[in-house]
Amino acid sequence: MATEFASKAAHVDQSSGYPKNIGFALSALTSLFFMWGFITCLNDILIPYLKGAFQLSYTQAMLVQFCFFGAYVIVSIPAGNLVGRIGFQKGIVLGLLIAALGCVLFVPAAIIGLYEVFLLALFVLASGITVLQVSANPYVSALGKPETAPSRLTLTQAFNSLGTTIAPFFGAYLLFSSGQETVSSGADAVKVPYLLLATALGILAIIFAVLKLPKLVEQSDEPSTNARPLTEYPHLILGAIGIFLYVGAEVSIGSFLVSFLHQPSIAGLDEAQAAKLIAYYWGGAMVGRFIGAAIMQKVAGGKVLAFNAVVSMMLVIFAVNQTGTLAMWAMLAVGLFNSIMFPTIFSLAISGLGKEASRGSGLLCLAIVGGAIIPILQGLLADNIGLENSFFLPAACYIFIAYFGLWGCHKKSSKEAAQ
């Protein structure tokens, strides 16, 4: 019965170029968005945990994000080319297996007790997530009409945010529930959560290996022989800059939230309490994506993007100039307006790329390295000018995102403009 349903779901309407029944494919893909959101958000809990276990500075602790998101620099372009050859579905299976291996490596890292081995495990894990991103994001964008792609990708990204909402409770319970100081107990607590994640990723890899997902007409089994340089798509290049700054801002804010909420002038919370409150930051992103998916059925994605970017910037600036619960909730509320940024920038950036979508996706995923660079820069600022003042860096990132939403996403190449 399941095979018969999958076969029907894989049928493509040749007159329109889109699968007739995309519900099955989208439902299956939501599990991937959930998993990589869950794993990525765990870094926000892992950072203060390892900071205490290895007595790190802010800058050293941000090496967690540097190694995790730095993997996108090395892996994204090769992954885009590989997925263009083997197809989206095989790319998804490969990404899941690599991510599972990265999770398993946390066990020897905990046994050896070296921070550098944890960073290696994070790099391998992130490499798998990169392959998943390159495979799943353009696949979702292509499963329907181009004009509704931002809405469709935003909806699936909402399940990514569901993962990021649940992860803080999972991480806080397993990493901070013992009540022991991490500096004396070591880093052994990471073994159980990451082995559980490895098991879940392995099961998903088996499931996606046997599923019958629709094969899109835009997807070719042969590499393109007359591929245009990606620099001929100005909106793609500007979108890549937007992804760099957005991911950098979102990750940087999330990475410093526990420390921000720990400040006596803000909330004075201990690590376990602060870790759980991160769920409001990521939970806001989940709610915002469901709302945004509906709004962008009626309002242009670029306009919604610009509005959210301006509000996010104002909230961060307001939070660092206030104290107490007002500052706390203002910073947590940034997640609500971050919500639609990644899927909207991504969809607008690859719009009109056609068969070059997988290569364009590789470039955009390469830009996710912003999540490695900007947290390190904010860490340097936090060590030198104070934690609160360091938040002006992510606030500044939203200026370009607003520009991309209003004007940058409409930029055309000289050839397209002449037509």
Side-chain angles (χ1 to χ4, degrees):
M1 190 72 179
T3 304
E4 179 183 357
F5 179 76
S7 298
K8 290 179 181 178
H11 176 73
V12 175
D13 182 355
Q14 298 297 332
S15 63
S16 66
Y18 307 115
K20 281 186 173 180
N21 299 308
I22 65 173
F24 171 77
L26 288 174
S27 297
L29 289 164
T30 55
S31 64
L32 301 179
F33 285 80
F34 174 88
M35 282 303 298
W36 82 55
F38 189 98
I39 290 169
T40 303
C41 185
L42 270 185
N43 288 348
D44 295 343
I45 313 301
L46 191 64
I47 286 169
Y49 177 81
L50 293 179
K51 186 176 184 293
F54 295 101
Q55 303 181 60
L56 307 172
S57 67
Y58 283 120
T59 305
Q60 291 171 326
M62 287 305 118
L63 288 174
V64 167
Q65 301 293 24
F66 182 81
C67 288
F68 189 89
F69 288 95
Y72 287 87
V73 176
I74 298 172
V75 178
S76 288
I77 296 299
N81 293 330
L82 177 63
V83 171
R85 291 194 299 270
I86 69 175
F88 293 126
Q89 185 167 0
K90 291 180 181 178
I92 287 170
V93 174
L94 178 62
L96 287 167
L97 292 175
I98 295 173
L101 174 62
C103 289
V104 170
L105 289 176
F106 273 77
V107 176
I111 294 173
I112 296 171
L114 287 176
Y115 185 48
E116 292 80 359
V117 184
F118 279 103
L119 297 179
L120 173 63
L122 282 162
F123 180 85
V124 175
L125 173 56
S127 297
I129 299 298
T130 303
V131 178
L132 284 179
Q133 293 259 23
V134 171
S135 302
N137 281 312
Y139 188 83
V140 171
S141 290
L143 278 174
K145 297 179 180 179
E147 57 268 26
T148 57
S151 173
R152 192 164 51 253
L153 192 55
T154 296
L155 181 61
T156 53
Q157 285 279 347
F159 289 90
N160 175 279
S161 295
L162 177 61
T164 61
T165 303
I166 295 173
F169 295 102
F170 177 83
Y173 176 75
L174 291 177
L175 297 182
F176 293 118
S177 62
S178 66
Q180 296 179 338
E181 292 292 333
T182 55
V183 68
S184 61
S185 63
D188 288 341
V190 302
K191 294 178 183 176
V192 173
Y194 281 93
L195 278 178
L196 291 174
L197 286 173
T199 302
L201 290 166
I203 293 172
L204 279 175
I206 295 172
I207 292 173
F208 273 89
V210 300
L211 281 180
K212 300 293 184 181
L213 294 177
K215 184 175 180 180
L216 305 174
V217 296
E218 290 87 351
Q219 184 180 338
S220 172
D221 291 328
E222 300 295 330
S224 176
T225 57
N226 57 347
R228 292 173 58 184
L230 294 180
T231 52
E232 291 189 11
Y233 301 97
H235 70 292
L236 173 65
I237 303 304
L238 293 173
I241 298 172
I243 290 288
F244 178 93
L245 295 174
Y246 159 70
V247 175
E250 182 185 54
V251 170
S252 201
I253 292 172
S255 298
F256 284 94
L257 264 177
V258 171
S259 298
F260 182 75
L261 299 179
H262 181 64
Q263 297 294 303
S265 62
I266 305 300
L269 302 177
D270 62 32
E271 291 173 329
Q273 293 171 321
K276 291 176 182 177
L277 278 178
I278 292 178
Y280 287 99
Y281 178 73
W282 296 109
M286 178 183 65
V287 173
R289 280 172 175 167
F290 283 115
I291 296 172
I295 291 176
M296 285 187 290
Q297 290 285 338
K298 303 293 184 182
V299 182
K303 293 180 179 179
V304 179
L305 175 65
F307 174 81
N308 281 26
V310 171
V311 174
S312 295
M313 178 183 65
M314 293 172 63
L315 282 170
V316 174
I317 294 173
F318 179 81
V320 299
N321 283 285
Q322 296 295 319
T323 59
T325 56
L326 199 59
M328 178 184 77
W329 288 111
M331 191 66 77
L332 292 173
V334 175
L336 177 66
F337 295 93
N338 274 340
S339 57
I340 56 91
M341 291 187 191
F342 182 89
T344 305
I345 296 171
F346 197 102
S347 297
L348 293 173
I350 66 171
S351 176
L353 264 60
K355 292 182 178 180
E356 305 300 328
S358 62
R359 292 175 61 232
S361 176
L363 177 64
L364 293 175
C365 286
L366 175 67
I368 293 175
V369 71
I373 303 300
I374 293 178
I376 283 285
L377 295 177
Q378 186 173 353
L380 289 169
L381 290 174
D383 286 330
N384 288 281
I385 65 173
L387 180 62
E388 287 90 343
N389 289 332
S390 71
F391 279 93
F392 283 107
L393 176 61
C397 295
Y398 293 113
I399 299 173
F400 181 88
I401 296 170
Y403 158 77
F404 178 76
L406 291 177
W407 298 288
C409 65
H410 303 297
K411 293 285 186 179
K412 304 294 182 182
S413 67
S414 56
K415 292 181 179 179
E416 292 173 312
Q419 292 177 352

